[in-house]
Amino acid sequence: MPGLIERHMDRLPFEKGDPIISLGEGNTPMIYACEISERVGARVWLKLEGLNPTGSFKDRGMTCAVSAAVRDGSNAVICASTGNTAASAAAYAARAGITCAVVVPGGKIAQGKLAQSLIHGARVIGLDGNFDEALKLVRELVETEPVALVNSVNPFRIEGQKTGAFEIHDVLPDLAALAIPVGNAGNVTAWWKGFQEVGAAPRMFGFQAAGAAPLVLGHPVENPETIATAIRIGNPARWTEAETAFAESNGSVRTVTDEQILEAYRLLANKEGVFCEPASAASVAGLLVHGADGVEDVVCVLTGNGLKDPDTALAQGGGVTPCEVDIEALRAVVLG
Ligand code: AN7
């Protein structure tokens, strides 16, 4: 299967003969969510972006950002990240044979994302600060150093991520709404751009964690906090673009609490069989809490794979039942 640059080259800033760094990203499954549809009172679909090569939607943008960096002669990339961008940048840089540095909030990213970044050979820098501080520093660094910045301030990231909208539009051309978690606001910007390019205009329903909700509050949050570490962001780089997407699409941006996020996270796993990371569950939590505002159908973007964050799953799941090697003991604990 070709990657998304080859599939969508007519709508992307690439030409035949350009170097393409791909891991076979995109073309993710979309499945119907029976239980959630019933609870929300609308047809709810789940777009499983956690099934991209590194386990998150970031791969759509990263194939474009790293391919463009290679085309332009870069031999190093850098990003600030809450974890998924780091894992994706590390993988695509490894594939391209270039070096990668990732700057993450020290001790505040999920274990799986850290493991990925390390095993792909990135230089992992644990900053004594949060994502917003990391991004500010990295932007300053690339002003003087010959390193390509692959955060979503890079327009190639937006170009790649907009292809999710093409895939949904092929299946649901009259889709009424998209529910999406919002952190740095690159993804909602990209999805809205993608829908516009195919002449569609579903309402963009964005959801932020209550402790990290600058777009809802209307001002930056100095010390963002949420269990959904992926969206622990207080000053989104794509602020104005996100506001435009919500306004133009007749959408909205609202909050969900950590408890509501975790409830949706458990519900997705228990009733739909879908294991996503906490930040991704914010989209479903938002619909469950705020309703679907009368729309008939809505796609929730499940942005990252649940395996990214084993610690949260272990804390939220049931415990392990011990058993000695004995058939009666086993019968008792299995049936008990
Ligand atoms: C699972 O990896 O910002 O609003 O540095 O990992 O485009 O930022 C991750 C963000 C949603 C929010 N869900 O998307 C990073 C990073 C997951 C994420 C978001 C992120 P944006």
Side-chain angles (χ1 to χ4, degrees), residues 28-30 45-49 60 167-168 299-302:
T28 54
M30 183 165 69
W45 300 82
L46 309 172
K47 180 70 169 161
L48 305 183
E49 289 293 283
R60 291 184 187 274
E167 291 172 20
I168 289 182
V299 172
C300 292
V301 185
L302 296 189

Side-chain angles (χ1 to χ4, degrees), residues 32-33 36-45 175-180 202-207 249-252 254 256 282-300:
Y32 190 70
I36 293 166
S37 294
E38 197 148 301
R39 294 193 189 201
V40 171
R43 289 192 300 278
V44 179
W45 300 82
L175 178 69
L178 188 85
I180 186 168
R203 299 173 67 185
M204 300 286 117
F205 293 154
F207 299 103
S249 72
N250 187 28
S252 58
R254 288 172 287 188
V256 283
S283 59
V284 170
L287 290 183
L288 291 170
V289 172
H290 299 288
D293 205 14
V295 303
E296 277 184 16
D297 54 0
V298 52
V299 172
C300 292

Side-chain angles (χ1 to χ4, degrees), residues 94 142 155 172 185 216 243 252 266 271 282 318 329:
V142 298
L172 300 172
V216 180
E243 278 187 339
S252 58
R266 291 187 301 260
K271 300 287 189 198

Side-chain angles (χ1 to χ4, degrees), residues 99-325:
T99 60
C100 175
V102 304
V103 184
V104 302
K108 289 287 190 178
I109 75 167
Q111 289 293 325
K113 304 172 188 179
L114 184 58
Q116 288 178 287
S117 302
L118 291 168
I119 199 68
H120 286 305
R123 179 166 298 189
V124 178
I125 296 130
L127 191 74
D128 186 15
N130 63 29
F131 170 83
D132 305 292
E133 293 166 313
L135 182 58
K136 189 161 175 275
L137 284 179
V138 166
R139 292 179 87 155
E140 200 176 322
L141 189 74
V142 298
E143 278 175 20
T144 54
E145 307 304 321
V147 184
L149 180 62
V150 295
N151 278 104
S152 61
V153 294
N154 178 328
F156 286 95
R157 283 278 311 278
I158 304 298
E159 290 299 310
Q161 285 168 215
K162 76 184 181 186
T163 60
F166 302 163
E167 291 172 20
I168 289 182
H169 186 67
D170 282 347
V171 189
L172 300 172
D174 301 316
L175 178 69
L178 188 85
I180 186 168
V182 179
N184 212 28
N187 212 26
V188 68
T189 300
W191 279 87
W192 179 235
K193 183 170 198 284
F195 280 120
Q196 285 182 298
E197 288 184 10
V198 292
R203 299 173 67 185
M204 300 286 117
F205 293 154
F207 299 103
Q208 299 205 287
L215 289 165
V216 180
L217 296 169
H219 59 77
V221 174
E222 201 175 327
N223 296 306
E225 271 310 335
T226 167
I227 190 160
T229 52
I231 51 173
R232 188 171 164 271
I233 294 174
N235 191 10
R238 294 280 182 178
W239 188 304
T240 52
E241 293 91 333
E243 278 187 339
T244 301
F246 296 129
E248 287 185 356
S249 72
N250 187 28
S252 58
V253 58
R254 288 172 287 188
T255 60
V256 283
T257 66
D258 278 6
E259 197 38 61
Q260 290 163 344
I261 288 173
L262 290 174
E263 227 176 283
Y265 171 77
R266 291 187 301 260
L267 180 74
L268 278 160
N270 281 325
K271 300 287 189 198
E272 304 290 0
V274 173
F275 184 26
C276 66
E277 63 172 286
S280 309
S283 59
V284 170
L287 290 183
L288 291 170
V289 172
H290 299 288
D293 205 14
V295 303
E296 277 184 16
D297 54 0
V298 52
V299 172
C300 292
V301 185
L302 296 189
T303 45
N305 197 300
L307 293 169
K308 294 273 191 177
D309 187 354
D311 292 332
T312 301
L314 289 167
Q316 294 293 313
V320 176
T321 308
C323 184
E324 57 190 276
V325 187

